[in-house]
Amino acid sequence: MLSRLLYYLIIKPISLLPFWVIYRISDLVFVIIYFVVGYRKKVVFGNIQRSFPEKSPKEVKAIMFKFYRHFCDLILESIKGFSISSKEAQKRMGSEHVEIINNFGKQGKDVVLIGGHYGNWELFAIAVGPTINIKPIALFTPLLNKFFDKKVKASRSRFGLNLLPSNEVKVLMNKDNDGNKMVIFGSDQSPRKTQRAYWMTFLNQETGVQFGAEKFAVTHNCAVVYGHIYRLKRGHYKISYQTICDDASMMEYGEITKAHTRLLEAEIIKEPAYWLWSHKRWKHTRPEGEVLHD
């Protein structure tokens, strides 16, 4: 009952507001989250400080400040996503080098698209469907709240994105008559089991990188593409595609994981404020005997 009230009395009405009002609300939310509540400020400060040990506390706080402004915009933009039109979504999430995806589709190749929680990945999920010629699939973990799980899936999949649990996408990939697919992986989540991680140095820290994207791509002989999401200005972004390989099965072990991790790292170093710093990404330590790759 509370979930329904929250959605129909707050979230849905806010999503119908014009963007200029959305950003005034975001400004207010920023004041509350940053100055009043101090949401995860210790986590964010620690993550940035360890990632950029050469920066002074003043410089770290400047990145923090900019991150929280973007974070609040991201929250409100995600709410706006419940009502945004396909035309407006594509206007605010431009595409560059989309021919890379479409050419693989013409060749009859399945694609693994890898990216990080950088820029506005929620807007990309809404906008991507009409821009490519193969079926986009995003892996997801169902929300515990069944009402919001249904609403979020409906919102993200309105314009062609297919949302599937990990165990179901393997079955879908084996269907010969279902057309070519682009399976989207977030590469920067902390692995649930450290022994399944690929350990390497990332942002000056030993990091267990999820290996699932590479394993999946190799198993299904997919092409692998990285998706850069750039913030152009407030409320406007661009996805730019970059090929990592034409056939994952031909790559050496770990080569794909290293490639997409270094691409994400370069994005963060260039514009650190637009990565999701509020997660505890370094909560695991490398198990004894586990190799640390270059």
Side-chain angles (χ1 to χ4, degrees):
M1 184 63 180
L2 287 176
S3 299
R4 293 176 182 274
L5 289 174
L6 176 62
Y7 178 78
Y8 287 111
L9 296 182
I10 298 177
I11 293 176
K12 188 65 175 182
I14 289 176
S15 76
L16 296 169
L17 296 172
F19 269 98
W20 72 268
V21 179
I22 289 286
Y23 288 121
R24 298 294 77 76
I25 297 173
S26 176
D27 293 339
L28 176 60
V29 172
F30 166 72
V31 172
I32 295 170
I33 286 181
Y34 189 80
F35 292 105
V36 180
V37 178
Y39 173 73
R40 291 198 172 188
K41 287 178 78 171
K42 288 184 179 180
V43 172
V44 173
F45 185 89
N47 282 342
I48 298 173
Q49 188 177 53
R50 289 188 299 273
S51 299
F52 299 98
E54 76 284 359
K55 295 189 182 296
S56 67
K58 183 178 180 180
E59 290 174 310
V60 171
K61 288 180 180 179
I63 295 172
M64 275 184 65
F65 187 88
K66 194 173 180 180
F67 160 71
Y68 276 98
R69 292 301 302 264
H70 170 68
F71 179 64
C72 293
D73 279 357
L74 183 62
I75 293 172
L76 270 297
E77 287 166 359
S78 297
I79 291 174
K80 181 66 177 177
F82 282 97
S83 296
I84 197 170
S85 68
S86 178
K87 182 179 179 181
E88 184 71 18
Q90 291 180 62
K91 174 185 173 183
R92 290 176 175 273
M93 177 59 72
S95 299
E96 183 178 65
H97 305 310
V98 71
E99 69 276 3
I100 290 175
I101 303 294
N102 289 335
N103 285 341
F104 283 129
K106 292 175 184 177
Q107 296 166 26
K109 292 283 294 183
D110 292 318
V111 176
V112 163
L113 178 70
I114 305 176
H117 288 89
Y118 190 91
N120 189 331
W121 58 92
E122 294 285 353
L123 181 58
F124 164 71
I126 293 173
V128 64
T131 68
I132 60 176
N133 63 5
I134 58 178
K135 178 185 291 187
I137 300 169
L139 309 184
F140 83 102
T141 301
L143 301 175
L144 294 177
N145 186 302
K146 292 184 179 180
F147 175 80
F148 274 111
D149 182 67
K150 181 179 179 181
K151 291 299 182 183
V152 169
K153 284 192 289 186
S155 174
R156 290 179 178 175
S157 61
R158 280 183 298 144
F159 307 123
L161 180 69
N162 297 266
L163 290 161
L164 288 176
S166 301
N167 60 334
E168 291 185 20
V169 76
K170 295 176 183 178
V171 175
L172 184 65
M173 292 297 289
N174 291 325
K175 289 184 178 179
D176 295 331
N177 61 347
D178 206 47
N180 293 108
K181 309 154 191 83
M182 181 179 79
V183 184
I184 304 167
F185 284 82
S187 67
D188 55 353
Q189 298 174 347
S190 179
R192 295 179 182 178
K193 294 184 178 180
T194 55
Q195 66 268 28
R196 294 182 180 178
Y198 183 88
W199 285 89
M200 57 187 292
T201 302
F202 171 70
L203 293 175
N204 294 297
Q205 297 162 85
E206 290 190 2
T207 306
V209 181
Q210 282 193 332
F211 194 69
E214 176 171 331
K215 182 180 179 181
F216 184 92
V218 170
T219 300
H220 298 284
N221 303 319
C222 297
V224 182
V225 176
Y226 186 81
H228 302 268
I229 297 181
Y230 301 102
R231 184 183 187 273
L232 304 177
K233 61 181 180 178
R234 196 176 201 184
H236 291 266
Y237 305 84
K238 177 178 68 177
I239 176 79
S240 181
Y241 299 102
Q242 178 179 341
T243 302
I244 292 179
C245 67
D246 294 343
D247 187 340
S249 65
M250 304 300 292
M251 302 291 280
E252 295 290 332
Y253 172 81
E255 197 172 354
I256 293 169
T257 301
K258 284 189 283 188
H260 71 67
T261 302
R262 292 298 174 228
L263 288 169
L264 175 61
E265 184 178 52
E267 287 182 342
I268 297 168
I269 291 172
K270 185 177 180 179
E271 288 284 355
Y274 304 130
W275 194 45
L276 192 60
W277 292 102
S278 52
H279 280 22
K280 295 181 180 179
R281 302 188 183 279
W282 290 280
K283 56 188 176 183
H284 300 303
T285 56
R286 181 165 55 98
E288 186 177 351
E290 187 73 32
V291 175
L292 182 65
H293 300 274
D294 295 334

